[in-house]
Amino acid sequence: MEPFYGSIIRIAQGTFAAQGLKVTRIGSENIPRTGGAVIALNHIGYMDFALAGYAALDAGRKVRYMAKQEVFDHKISGPMMRAMKHIPVDRSAGVGAFNAAVDALKHGELVGVFPESTVSRSFELRSFKTGAVRMAAQAGVPVLPQIVWGSQRIWTKGHPKRLGRTNVPITIRTGEPISIDPDADAEVATKDLHAVMEQMLHEVQEAYEPLTGDDLVFLPARMGGKAPTMEEAAKIEDAELARKKAALAARRAQQS
């Protein structure tokens, strides 16, 4: 029993219902009812983890998501994240988070991972880091590929929040478990996972209601949308990173 996590889930469900969000789950039967598994999820918006959790609830499970340390450092979100047993990731020292995730998996938890590590501005799959397959291999559990689509229309990077909008369809598709050989090359296994999830993403995108008008900014350029291409998104992210580094250097200079 986890009364706090359960309460947060009920509040989220009530909020989503009030907004008229229509969450369709496909493949929830692929989520094991017991035992550990890595859930590898694409990342297109800030509500992905909350919406994707619907699929786990279909299996009577809860997910422990790996999230950046800054979320845990926040005075409000931090205590909540710790109470729900999510796993903090310090990007300057990721070994601790990796070991914590492996330990949770060995104890039968579902651990949610964003292999892209950040939100994709292009709404295509970015390149993956190898952590998801490496922790699955070390813990001896499968990887469950999972795709969310539609969440970018609610709240995503580079666009204003649209939390009050209604009747937005959200699709959550969970693929079949992928076993990872402990001796497998992590780079190769990660590329294979990327290929599976890319095909799933394209299929979900094609089946989704057509986007028109202002919503074209949430559609990949590949599909005729106005989202930046992967190359354009990379340039935006590089410029953003440069600004952050310059701001950090300026703060340090003022403090010295």
Side-chain angles (χ1 to χ4, degrees), residues 108-155:
E109 299 283 5
L110 298 178
V111 174
V113 179
F114 294 101
E116 298 167 277
S117 77
T118 190
V119 172
S120 170
R121 292 177 181 267
S122 68
F123 310 123
E124 305 277 20
L125 279 190
R126 293 163 49 94
S127 60
F128 283 6
K129 295 185 180 300
T130 61
V133 300
R134 288 191 294 110
M135 65 179 63
Q138 187 165 324
V141 301
V143 174
L144 294 172
Q146 194 171 77
I147 294 296
V148 58
W149 187 248
S151 62
Q152 77 277 20
R153 299 172 65 188
I154 304 170
W155 187 14

Side-chain angles (χ1 to χ4, degrees), residues 26-48:
I26 303 168
S28 294
E29 67 276 6
N30 290 319
I31 298 176
R33 268 49 183 177
T34 60
V38 174
I39 296 180
L41 182 68
N42 70 315
H43 207 2
I44 55 173
Y46 296 121
M47 304 301 294
D48 293 340

Side-chain angles (χ1 to χ4, degrees), residues 5-219:
Y5 202 162
S7 297
I8 293 298
I9 289 172
R10 288 190 290 275
I11 291 170
Q13 288 177 319
T15 301
F16 295 151
Q19 293 179 15
L21 300 185
K22 299 176 290 185
V23 183
T24 299
R25 282 92 76 193
I26 303 168
S28 294
E29 67 276 6
N30 290 319
I31 298 176
R33 268 49 183 177
T34 60
V38 174
I39 296 180
L41 182 68
N42 70 315
H43 207 2
I44 55 173
Y46 296 121
M47 304 301 294
D48 293 340
F49 71 97
L51 291 162
Y54 271 87
L57 290 178
D58 290 339
R61 304 291 303 274
K62 295 181 178 67
V63 184
R64 316 301 173 179
Y65 286 99
M66 301 186 74
K68 60 184 179 181
Q69 182 65 49
E70 291 88 336
V71 178
F72 289 82
D73 292 338
H74 192 275
K75 64 181 181 180
I76 296 176
S77 62
M80 295 173 63
M81 294 291 282
R82 284 187 286 273
M84 291 184 281
K85 301 179 183 178
H86 296 309
I87 301 170
V89 178
D90 183 346
R91 291 176 179 171
S92 65
V95 175
F98 181 90
N99 291 338
V102 170
D103 186 61
L105 291 166
K106 288 181 177 179
H107 282 84
E109 299 283 5
L110 298 178
V111 174
V113 179
F114 294 101
E116 298 167 277
S117 77
T118 190
V119 172
S120 170
R121 292 177 181 267
S122 68
F123 310 123
E124 305 277 20
L125 279 190
R126 293 163 49 94
S127 60
F128 283 6
K129 295 185 180 300
T130 61
V133 300
R134 288 191 294 110
M135 65 179 63
Q138 187 165 324
V141 301
V143 174
L144 294 172
Q146 194 171 77
I147 294 296
V148 58
W149 187 248
S151 62
Q152 77 277 20
R153 299 172 65 188
I154 304 170
W155 187 14
T156 192
K157 186 179 290 186
H159 296 276
K161 299 176 186 177
R162 306 173 82 182
L163 299 177
R165 68 179 304 164
T166 59
N167 301 320
V168 174
I170 306 294
T171 302
I172 308 297
R173 178 175 168 185
T174 306
E176 295 182 358
I178 299 173
S179 296
I180 307 296
D181 188 321
D183 297 322
D185 183 299
E187 294 286 351
V188 173
T190 298
K191 288 180 180 178
D192 291 343
L193 174 63
H194 189 283
V196 169
M197 291 182 63
E198 187 170 63
Q199 181 177 344
M200 289 173 58
L201 175 62
H202 290 179
E203 291 172 353
V204 168
Q205 289 171 332
E206 292 293 341
Y208 193 82
E209 68 173 25
L211 298 185
T212 59
D214 292 341
D215 275 342
L216 285 175
V217 297
F218 302 117
L219 189 68

